[in-house]
Amino acid sequence: MTQDRTQSSPEDSLIARYFKPLATDPGAFGLVDDAAVLSSSGDDIVVTTDAVVEGVHYLATDPPDTIARKALRVNLSDLAAKGATPAGFVLTLALRSKEDAWLRPFADALGEDAKEFACPLLGGDTVSTPGPQMISITAFGRVPQGRMVGRTGARPGDRILVTGTIGDAALGLDVLTGGAAAAALATDPAAREALVSRYRVPQPRNPLARAVRDHATAAMDVSDGLAGDLTKLCAASGVSATVDVTSVPFSAAAASLVARNVACVETLLAGGDDYEVLCTVPPAQVDALMAAGRAAGLAVTAIGTIVAGKQGPRFLDGQGQELVLRRLSYSHF
Amino acid sequence: MTQDRTQSSPEDSLIARYFKPLATDPGAFGLVDDAAVLSSSGDDIVVTTDAVVEGVHYLATDPPDTIARKALRVNLSDLAAKGATPAGFVLTLALRSKEDAWLRPFADALGEDAKEFACPLLGGDTVSTPGPQMISITAFGRVPQGRMVGRTGARPGDRILVTGTIGDAALGLDVLTGGAAAAALATDPAAREALVSRYRVPQPRNPLARAVRDHATAAMDVSDGLAGDLTKLCAASGVSATVDVTSVPFSAAAASLVARNVACVETLLAGGDDYEVLCTVPPAQVDALMAAGRAAGLAVTAIGTIVAGKQGPRFLDGQGQELVLRRLSYSHF
């Protein structure tokens, strides 16, 4: 029970010192109010919320600037997959301490990302906790009325597309926690760094949001593992899928670890934290989405096809044999 | 590091079992999507976020149904003070366990309040934590464009009004933690229960929201202590205030504890968790706001006047002498 009642309200000065500079939107009222305003514009407001917990979603040893970026970017990734343009976010910060050495780089990096992605801080709450730190962000985006891209629109014949590469973040976590990938890459600091950075700082695909909105029948971001997330999308749409595993895009570092039997394909397909966009697109519109990807400097890869049926997606190897995945995704419970 | 990766995604079944029934708004998509939609309606969307942490904002021994109600109601209270009509909320739940004995009454009570206040669940995130549980809620309300009631509009001459009674929740916490009030009320279970219930289950003043919007020049909810919150409102508006402490509404139980010297007035003025509406109203409109209070069955009391000046509010006793408050409010840091 913290009962630190003081005249000067250090909670308010903490907010003023670190977070007021991020509240650039007029609807944030410079963080002096209890509430913010998202102004009316005729658009629908897309709302998404994702929390990151120390020791669960990030490591206590992760640098504070990467923690800030991850906390915001996992939400930006949801907005990208929904076809929404970022409009702002609110932040709940459960802190053990208010050390400047942690808060300064955290707030600075959060401000940089807020600016880069045009997603200003609108408000928030800072609370003290004796336990692990937690950052909960609710982010807002705009889409024209009725145009949010859901999970339920995938239809048989649609092609399944995914951005970027899959499985790097899971391998980055393996490196950070001293797993097999750490040993295998002991003499390759560049590959280690590339994988670790995919774990710590996701690259949300917001530049593709407009094209996803224009061309995808269903979309979601890959946060809990490609296999499990595709399973959820298929279930929501009442369809099944066939995935050609040899088409799934792996980075050079990931492919090399698979070739050396350090990692197995299943780990990559079920690994979390990719924050790529997974979407289904009618064949006639695949070229347009891929062109939008090229324009954004972003790889977009077709990995399979939606088929009729109620069973889970089938993952086929190079010989057309089905891989039976023991795990599909990450789950908290 | 929790790495419980399973086929069946118990996180999804937890959400489906406990929280899907609360997602009654079409924009929630039955919680099967990553995001929700707040549909366009020409209104401004008011956004507020408040978290409650076990051991900080509620006691680990508090019943789960009261924890759920408190988590939602502290946010509803913000919407009421901003003059906004509830539109929905998103929930982040950081849980140590997924015990049905805790989650069932928690979710049921949350659903009852969501229905009572017409504020449906739109989405959320459940994460595991090894530390204290935490519930972070971001709530949304609607106001006509540009009509959110802020903190900056108080003007000299405005009367200062407050709803309900002040200080009961602080005394309720004192009862629960075995303080002086617990001993003094040992033989008065009704008074104990009345105070405890004010601490555990706030009564947000949403029925008064429309009148606040129509008549108040500035408003906020009293969450960190009346004295401190009025100080913040005055600072935001660039004004000062004079408060007649004998006018501040205390419950019979609180007044009796003050009369017996068990509690001092300062404790009540600086105690947190009141969740009443504090607002400033031009003299010509005071009657209208009070009439709206009567229509809602809610006491509204004038406690002072806004005056010009930059100094903090002055609290005057029955002899017109200034009380010097050592503490104004609750602070987390």
Side-chain angles (χ1 to χ4, degrees):
Chain A
M1 185 66 49
T2 306
Q3 287 284 358
D4 174 17
R5 290 158 191 272
T6 66
Q7 199 84 4
S8 62
S9 185
E11 184 181 350
D12 289 343
S13 12
L14 186 155
I15 290 169
R17 184 163 2 123
Y18 294 108
F19 297 108
K20 195 172 174 174
L22 282 61
T24 54
D25 191 274
F29 304 110
L31 303 186
V32 300
D33 211 305
D34 306 280
V37 163
L38 275 170
S39 62
S40 172
S41 62
D43 289 331
D44 280 353
I45 303 290
V46 174
V47 182
T48 183
T49 189
D50 264 311
V52 296
V53 178
E54 180 186 67
V56 179
H57 303 84
Y58 65 88
L59 303 172
T61 51
D62 283 343
D65 59 320
T66 70
I67 298 168
R69 292 186 200 278
K70 185 165 193 172
L72 182 56
R73 290 177 179 211
V74 300
N75 284 284
L76 287 165
S77 178
D78 278 322
L79 294 180
K82 302 290 101 184
T85 305
F89 70 103
V90 294
L91 167 74
T92 297
L93 203 49
L95 294 174
R96 261 196 314 277
S97 80
K98 48 158 192 169
E99 283 171 27
D100 186 75
W102 195 90
L103 273 166
R104 176 50 59 205
F106 179 91
D108 286 350
L110 195 64
E112 286 171 17
D113 269 7
K115 192 171 177 186
E116 178 184 342
F117 292 96
C119 192
L121 179 68
L122 293 176
D125 193 19
T126 54
V127 295
S128 56
T129 175
Q133 304 209 121
M134 170 167 156
I135 303 123
S136 174
I137 284 181
T138 301
F140 310 103
R142 295 181 195 278
V143 291
Q145 277 189 47
R147 294 290 307 282
M148 189 188 95
V149 183
R151 287 189 185 181
T152 59
R155 294 292 170 260
D158 286 352
R159 295 288 284 156
I160 303 166
L161 273 62
V162 69
T163 59
T165 56
I166 293 296
D168 295 319
L171 293 171
L173 176 59
D174 199 49
V175 167
L176 284 170
T177 54
L185 296 175
T187 60
D188 190 349
R192 289 169 60 101
E193 185 45 45
L195 297 175
V196 164
S197 127
R198 285 298 305 268
Y199 171 74
R200 284 182 170 159
V201 183
Q203 301 296 329
R205 304 313 187 182
N206 301 80
L208 208 65
R210 174 65 191 269
V212 169
R213 195 167 80 212
D214 287 346
H215 303 298
T217 53
M220 65 188 293
D221 74 331
V222 184
S223 58
D224 294 337
L226 176 66
D229 287 340
L230 178 60
T231 303
K232 289 176 193 172
L233 188 149
C234 285
S237 292
V239 296
S240 187
T242 304
V243 173
D244 171 13
V245 171
T246 63
S247 299
V248 175
F250 298 133
S251 69
S256 157
L257 289 171
V258 169
R260 292 159 64 192
N261 273 323
V262 175
C264 61
V265 167
E266 177 185 273
T267 304
L268 307 186
L269 296 180
D273 284 317
D274 290 312
Y275 299 105
E276 299 291 353
V277 172
L278 171 70
C279 60
T280 58
V281 177
Q285 295 183 60
V286 167
D287 285 349
L289 188 65
M290 289 194 168
R294 279 191 299 276
L298 183 57
V300 179
T301 308
I303 62 169
T305 304
I306 296 294
V307 299
K310 295 287 182 188
Q311 71 281 22
R314 297 170 69 225
F315 295 84
L316 305 181
D317 68 14
Q319 283 72 48
Q321 299 294 311
E322 185 169 356
L323 291 178
V324 177
L325 303 180
R326 282 173 295 124
R327 301 174 311 182
L328 294 175
S329 64
Y330 180 95
S331 176
H332 280 290
F333 296 103
Chain B
M1 184 66 47
T2 306
Q3 288 283 359
D4 174 18
R5 290 156 191 272
T6 67
Q7 200 84 5
S8 61
S9 185
E11 185 181 348
D12 290 343
S13 18
L14 186 155
I15 290 168
R17 184 164 2 123
Y18 294 108
F19 297 108
K20 195 172 173 174
L22 282 60
T24 54
D25 190 276
F29 304 110
L31 303 187
V32 301
D33 212 304
D34 307 280
V37 163
L38 275 170
S39 62
S40 172
S41 62
D43 290 330
D44 280 352
I45 303 290
V46 174
V47 182
T48 183
T49 189
D50 264 311
V52 296
V53 178
E54 180 186 65
V56 180
H57 303 82
Y58 64 90
L59 303 172
T61 50
D62 283 342
D65 59 321
T66 70
I67 298 168
R69 292 186 201 278
K70 185 165 193 172
L72 181 56
R73 289 176 179 212
V74 301
N75 284 283
L76 287 164
S77 177
D78 278 321
L79 294 180
K82 301 290 103 182
T85 305
F89 71 103
V90 295
L91 167 74
T92 297
L93 203 48
L95 295 173
R96 260 196 314 275
S97 79
K98 49 159 192 169
E99 285 170 26
D100 186 74
W102 195 91
L103 273 167
R104 175 52 58 205
F106 179 91
D108 285 351
L110 195 64
E112 285 171 17
D113 269 6
K115 192 171 177 187
E116 176 182 343
F117 292 95
C119 192
L121 179 68
L122 293 175
D125 192 18
T126 54
V127 296
S128 57
T129 175
Q133 304 208 120
M134 170 167 156
I135 303 123
S136 174
I137 284 182
T138 301
F140 310 104
R142 295 182 195 279
V143 291
Q145 277 189 47
R147 294 290 307 281
M148 188 188 96
V149 183
R151 288 189 185 181
T152 59
R155 293 292 169 261
D158 286 352
R159 296 288 283 154
I160 302 166
L161 273 62
V162 69
T163 59
T165 55
I166 294 296
D168 296 319
L171 294 170
L173 176 59
D174 198 49
V175 167
L176 284 169
T177 53
L185 296 175
T187 60
D188 190 348
R192 289 169 60 102
E193 184 46 44
L195 297 175
V196 164
S197 123
R198 286 296 306 269
Y199 172 72
R200 283 182 170 159
V201 183
Q203 301 295 330
R205 304 313 186 183
N206 301 81
L208 208 65
R210 174 66 190 270
V212 170
R213 195 167 79 212
D214 287 345
H215 303 297
T217 52
M220 64 186 295
D221 73 332
V222 184
S223 57
D224 293 337
L226 175 66
D229 287 340
L230 178 60
T231 302
K232 290 176 193 171
L233 188 149
C234 285
S237 292
V239 296
S240 186
T242 304
V243 173
D244 171 12
V245 171
T246 62
S247 299
V248 175
F250 298 133
S251 69
S256 156
L257 289 172
V258 170
R260 291 159 63 193
N261 274 321
V262 175
C264 61
V265 166
E266 175 184 275
T267 304
L268 308 186
L269 296 180
D273 284 318
D274 290 312
Y275 299 105
E276 298 291 354
V277 172
L278 172 70
C279 60
T280 58
V281 177
Q285 295 184 58
V286 167
D287 285 349
L289 188 65
M290 288 192 167
R294 280 191 298 276
L298 183 58
V300 179
T301 309
I303 61 168
T305 305
I306 295 293
V307 298
K310 295 286 181 187
Q311 71 280 25
R314 298 169 70 224
F315 295 85
L316 305 182
D317 67 15
Q319 284 71 49
Q321 298 294 311
E322 184 169 357
L323 291 178
V324 177
L325 303 179
R326 282 172 296 123
R327 302 174 312 184
L328 295 175
S329 63
Y330 180 95
S331 175
H332 281 290
F333 296 103

